[in-house]
Amino acid sequence: MGSKNVTKETLVQESGESNRCVIFPNTNVSMVAKTLERKDHDWVVQTTVPSDLVVQIGDSSFHLHKYFEFQLPMVSRSGYLNRLAFDRSNGGRDTILKIPIDNLPGGAKIFELVVKFCYGWEVDITSASVAPLYCAAHFLEMNDDLEQGNLISKSEAFLSFSIFSSWKDTFRILKSCEPLSSLPKELQILKRCSESIALKACTDLKDFSSGVDGPHYFHASSKKVEKSKLDEEVDHWWFEDVSLLRIDHFIEVIQSIKGKGMKSKLVGSCIAHWTTKWLSRVSFIEVDRLSPKNMTYQLQRVTTECLIRVLPTEENSVTCNFLLHLLKAGLAMHISSDLLETLERRIASMLEQCRVLDLLLKNFGDNDNVHDVGIVNRVVEVYASLDKIDRRPKILAVGRLVDGYLTLVAREENLKVKSFQSLVEALPKDARFCDDNLYRATDLYLKAHPGLTEKERTSLCRFLEYHRLSQETREHVIKNNRLPLKIVIRFILLVQVTMTRSMTSMGSNYQRTKTQAFVRANNRSLGKGWMNSQKEIRKMTKDVEAMKSQLNDLQLCKLKLQRQLKRCIV
């Protein structure tokens, strides 16, 4: 077929050269028509016979013939042109007939190939032109009912060969289909290309070593590679080519790959790879300025919704970080609320297995915080609202995750108090066994934002509770001059109260212990002198009085601190 022999060697072309083919009709037209020449926007068949048919394709005019050497070169092979020619003809051969065609697949460039075919010249086609030519042949109704070996069957043969024999040509065909409206889908070109890609992507390494033009390291002359590295390359070798597809073609390929039973994690990784490249080209700052009716805005919105719908549903098939990026895009594009809710719940259900780095999502604006804390807050709130039975051990893991995230973003200059505080309060109190990590994150925030007002610092620290901190952290709180005075005084009072209770308890236990020891001593030996007993009693009394004095001092200190606290509040 064509100008090259179709062999294994010519199909495996590392240079990326496309396969080519030469086709011509089974019945030749007289070769009196020498060439098809172009003059500006006019295409003229060079012959002694004047043109009596002008086909207008966009801005280009093709001066052709209804009759040529007792033949019908155009209308005999095209049912579409045949019908229009005879419907619009007045019956005279000398009348010039004009036929405008505004929506021919491939436009004037492809119609030039159609003209050459109809006039009996050889037509050189490649994988980049065969799909538009095949669609144009269908549009013009150039089937075998009119003439055996017509353009539909000729282009179909090379199209099928290119799709299933060459990996690179399959992608060239898909690329050529992008401007062709709905015909490639109706004619099953997209489905056939997608099935071919899926089949090759899902095939084991041994099936590619035979010479099909997959990745270069599949060639028989390739050197041996370490197994783990080779497995990774085999899994991902097709990602880059697939990532160049337009969204509708990409979705077709993903659906076909799913149908072939590929591992869901690989499917998810491929979607993430495509999305990453797409997001790198999208400016959400510009998108925010566009009207919802703008075509670019609508395209980005449809793209986002398609990506969410095509995601594999299996657990761990996609990462939490990737889904957060997709959620951010969805919020920017104002996608369907149902899709947003589904995506948020899916991310929320993954938080229990996440790491802090999984939550890092950068903002795009110069004046924004470095990382998008708001979107993390949104997901954490969804998690807190989920109805889970016996979630205590798991929610503690989410609490540690959020505290770790807060510690990481606390140093960011543009992080607002409200954003920090909202994330702190997004989880219930039982999400933390101890608030030490949360206190550490808050202290880092205060250190990085020294310009906060007393009111802001007090609001930020209102979650701090004495009984939820370790002894070491309590001591740090009392000495921390970054904390609002109200919080420090409250903690000092609580320390004093705790000490008072402790000492009162110790005094009571001490007195009871001494009395019991005294009684036991008397029971064991009544022969000891009265003076010894009196000494014990005096010692006990002295110890008790000393403890009472200390308690009184503590009470006075407490009253003094309370007065100071009232003055601070006023």
Side-chain angles (χ1 to χ4, degrees), residues 38-43 60:
R38 180 179 180 179
K39 298 177 181 178
D40 295 328
H41 294 293
D42 292 325
W43 295 82
S60 299

Side-chain angles (χ1 to χ4, degrees), residues 1 11 18-21 125-128 130 155-173 192-193 196 200 213:
M1 177 186 293
L11 288 177
S18 172
N19 291 315
R20 311 183 73 85
C21 178
I125 58 176
T126 67
S127 56
V130 65
S155 56
E156 158 71 23
F158 182 64
L159 177 66
S160 297
F161 171 77
S162 298
I163 289 175
F164 290 103
S165 68
S166 171
W167 172 266
K168 290 294 184 183
D169 278 353
T170 307
F171 285 92
R172 291 187 182 102
I173 290 169
R192 290 158 66 186
C193 287
S196 176
K200 293 170 185 174
D213 62 335

Side-chain angles (χ1 to χ4, degrees), residues 310-498:
V310 82
L311 288 174
T313 57
E314 290 81 358
E315 188 176 355
N316 298 324
S317 57
V318 287
T319 66
C320 179
N321 188 262
F322 164 62
L323 292 180
L324 282 171
H325 278 87
L326 209 51
L327 176 59
K328 186 177 181 69
L331 291 169
M333 302 300 173
H334 301 95
I335 65 171
S336 160
S337 58
D338 291 340
L339 281 178
L340 276 180
E341 183 180 347
T342 301
L343 189 56
E344 287 171 345
R345 291 176 69 87
R346 180 168 184 175
I347 299 171
S349 67
M350 299 172 70
L351 290 179
E352 295 162 358
Q353 290 83 37
C354 280
R355 303 167 303 159
V356 172
L357 294 180
D358 295 330
L359 301 183
L360 294 182
L361 186 69
K362 287 193 174 182
N363 276 316
F364 304 107
D366 295 333
N367 298 323
D368 291 331
N369 189 49
V370 177
H371 293 101
D372 194 336
V373 178
I375 204 166
V376 175
N377 182 78
R378 186 183 183 110
V379 172
V380 172
E381 286 180 345
V382 171
Y383 174 84
S385 69
L386 295 178
D387 185 18
K388 292 193 174 184
I389 301 173
D390 190 25
R391 67 176 185 174
R392 173 68 177 170
K394 296 179 179 179
I395 200 173
L396 289 176
V398 178
R400 288 192 296 271
L401 174 71
V402 171
D403 291 348
Y405 177 78
L406 286 169
T407 302
L408 200 61
V409 301
R411 300 180 180 87
E412 297 182 8
E413 183 180 354
N414 292 331
L415 180 58
K416 304 298 182 184
V417 173
K418 186 177 180 181
S419 299
F420 187 95
Q421 193 171 330
S422 295
L423 187 51
V424 170
E425 297 171 351
L427 286 174
K429 287 186 177 182
D430 65 353
R432 298 175 176 91
F433 181 77
C434 172
D435 286 347
D436 282 12
N437 292 333
L438 187 53
Y439 167 73
R440 191 173 297 111
T442 305
D443 189 37
L444 285 172
Y445 184 85
L446 292 172
K447 186 176 181 180
H449 302 81
L452 296 180
T453 64
E454 184 72 10
K455 183 178 179 181
E456 287 175 325
R457 290 189 293 139
T458 300
S459 176
L460 185 67
C461 299
R462 67 187 181 188
F463 70 89
L464 291 176
E465 295 185 17
Y466 180 84
H467 67 281
R468 293 181 62 83
L469 298 176
S470 66
Q471 182 61 35
E472 181 182 357
T473 304
R474 293 170 189 170
E475 293 174 1
H476 191 276
V477 169
I478 294 173
K479 300 174 184 177
N480 192 344
N481 58 8
R482 288 185 289 271
L483 295 175
L485 183 59
K486 179 180 178 181
I487 299 295
V488 175
I489 292 175
R490 177 157 60 88
F491 267 66
I492 292 175
L493 287 173
L494 290 170
V495 168
Q496 298 297 337
V497 169
T498 302

